[in-house]
Amino acid sequence: MEEFDVAVVGLGALGSAAAYHLARAGIRTVAFEQFELGHVRGASHDTSRIVRTSYGSPEYVRFAQAAYREWAALEADTGERLLTVTGGVVFIPDAGPYDADDFARSLTENGVPYELLAPDEVRARWPQFDVPAGVTTVYTPDSGIAHAARTVATLQMHARMRGAVLRDRTRVDALVPVDGGVVVATSAGDVRARRVVVAADAWTSALLEPLGIHIPLEVMQEQVSYFAPAAPADYAPERFPVWIWEDEQNFYGFPTYGEPTIKAARDVSENRMSPDERTFVPSPERVAELSAFLSARIPGSGALLRTVTCQYALTPGRRFVLGALREHPDIIVGLGAGHAFKFTPAFGLGLAELAIGEGTTDDLTAFAVDATAAPAL
């Protein structure tokens, strides 16, 4: 039986980042992906993801700051440009379930520059938006875009360059704790590792529940749409920020990025289906809902061009899970709850350091697997 120091299960963004950090630390690492590398069945494909520090919880703001530190380190190490800073706005209706004061307190506590803007100030700065009265806007100049597919490919390539063994099209069927480690049963044979990092997202329960571990997950098909504005130059990254609408229903979007289109989506589509039930067919109701929202709030957004699906696996309160199993401490679990891409390099560092077992650079206690008082999003 082959033996490694650490095995990583899942090579989306978080698993690829863990493999990269493990290999960079000189750890003998094997990583498994049940599909082809860069596949479209999970949540790490397509082009763009929002990066930001603007959260209403101080714990997430601090972790986002750690992520910016690690994004810079990753770009310096690989020579790739992965982030584009555009500035970002979070629109918070005063009568909605979110409170702009929570964002202000969290950002102030962590020393992050921000502005609170009234609707007329938003329209003066970005006339592309039509923001109604009764909405407070949080602006953070450090927000921007991460290139999703390029980030994952970069992490995988540099993990391999440093000696990690990446095995795609290799399904992990079971994890078997044994003395001094874990046997990883795969479709290509068994491997023994001192520790295992599970970054399998919607497939996590299939591996943990046979061990008596249940982490509640809501799995659903999500979708993002691309629109063609008549004046794409007005939506260039230097003229139009990334944006989030925080209300009973949340929406978010991007400036043009690599093509003269703008991308937008509803966050949490409630289109529940397991990985085996995925249709990959966009919901026409969600497309119509998004189109109506953009027509009202970004009147120049233009005609719909295409819609792409992805997958969310949401924990209660969308809280990150980042830690070792109490019952099986050689198994480390990472769940990003549909909002972790912006944290990718710091999340991967945390997973790698937990697997190495020598302490972590960042305080991860708020995201422990069995934390009952950890912050919700």
Side-chain angles (χ1 to χ4, degrees):
M1 187 185 303
E2 288 184 284
E3 295 194 7
F4 293 87
D5 296 325
V6 179
V8 178
V9 183
L11 280 169
L14 304 186
S16 297
Y20 162 79
H21 282 292
L22 287 162
R24 197 162 182 257
I27 305 301
R28 291 178 304 149
T29 303
V30 63
F32 301 102
E33 170 54 58
Q34 63 179 321
F35 305 115
E36 71 277 6
L37 297 182
H39 67 83
V40 299
R41 297 169 180 86
S44 297
H45 58 287
D46 203 28
T47 53
S48 52
R49 296 292 189 278
I50 291 176
V51 292
R52 60 183 170 110
T53 51
S54 52
Y55 274 86
S57 168
E59 291 81 2
Y60 284 97
V61 176
R62 284 193 287 274
F63 200 31
Q65 290 175 305
Y68 273 77
R69 180 198 71 216
E70 293 303 321
W71 279 111
L74 177 61
E75 289 184 323
D77 183 46
T78 64
E80 292 282 349
R81 184 187 175 195
L82 302 172
L83 295 192
T84 300
V85 175
T86 63
V89 289
V90 181
F91 301 115
I92 305 175
D94 297 340
Y98 299 93
D99 191 339
D101 289 341
D102 291 337
F103 283 74
R105 281 190 292 268
S106 293
L107 293 167
T108 298
E109 180 178 324
N110 289 285
V112 177
Y114 70 93
E115 297 177 56
L116 295 181
L117 304 175
D120 58 340
E121 294 175 301
V122 173
R123 289 191 293 268
R125 194 176 299 189
W126 302 286
Q128 302 93 327
F129 292 115
D130 185 358
V131 182
V135 174
T136 301
T137 298
V138 182
Y139 170 69
T140 45
D142 63 356
S143 297
I145 303 169
H147 195 298
R150 182 183 298 168
T151 294
V152 176
T154 295
L155 290 164
Q156 293 169 353
M157 179 176 68
H158 285 268
R160 275 182 161 154
M161 287 170 59
R162 287 170 167 81
V165 178
L166 307 189
R167 294 178 178 167
D168 63 340
R169 298 177 176 87
T170 305
R171 187 183 64 255
V172 173
D173 295 317
L175 303 176
V176 183
V178 296
D179 288 343
V182 181
V183 172
V184 182
T186 84
S187 57
D190 294 352
V191 168
R192 183 185 178 111
R194 177 66 189 85
R195 290 194 174 93
V196 173
V197 170
V198 178
D201 204 49
W203 293 269
T204 299
S205 296
L207 294 173
L208 299 188
E209 289 188 348
L211 301 174
I213 307 300
H214 177 65
I215 299 175
L217 292 177
E218 282 190 279
V219 179
M220 61 189 70
Q221 180 171 281
E222 292 290 294
Q223 59 193 58
V224 297
S225 296
Y226 289 79
F227 295 80
D234 291 344
Y235 299 90
E238 61 272 16
R239 300 184 64 184
F240 188 67
V242 295
W243 59 269
I244 299 170
W245 182 272
E246 293 267 46
D247 202 352
E248 295 289 351
Q249 293 180 354
N250 296 344
F251 298 89
Y252 63 93
F254 299 77
T256 60
Y257 186 68
E259 62 179 357
T261 64
I262 59 173
K263 172 181 168 181
R266 171 178 161 176
D267 185 46
V268 186
S269 291
E270 307 289 356
N271 195 8
R272 289 172 176 78
M273 59 183 75
S274 71
D276 292 338
E277 296 168 337
R278 282 279 305 276
T279 65
F280 297 88
V281 177
S283 161
E285 292 81 11
R286 291 291 174 257
V287 171
E289 176 187 64
L290 176 63
S291 297
F293 177 85
L294 288 187
S295 294
R297 298 291 160 248
I298 309 176
S301 52
L304 173 71
L305 283 183
R306 66 183 184 274
T307 298
V308 178
T309 66
C310 64
Q311 184 171 249
Y312 270 7
L314 304 185
T315 59
R318 299 189 72 178
R319 184 180 70 83
F320 286 166
V321 173
L322 178 50
L325 298 178
R326 181 172 50 187
E327 299 85 350
H328 303 288
D330 291 333
I331 299 176
I332 294 95
V333 178
L335 285 164
H339 65 112
F341 201 101
K342 66 184 72 66
F343 298 88
T344 289
F347 210 118
L349 175 63
L351 291 170
E353 291 178 333
L354 288 168
I356 294 169
E358 297 179 354
T360 60
T361 301
D362 302 300
D363 182 2
L364 306 177
T365 54
F367 311 123
V369 178
D370 57 351
T372 57
L377 182 62

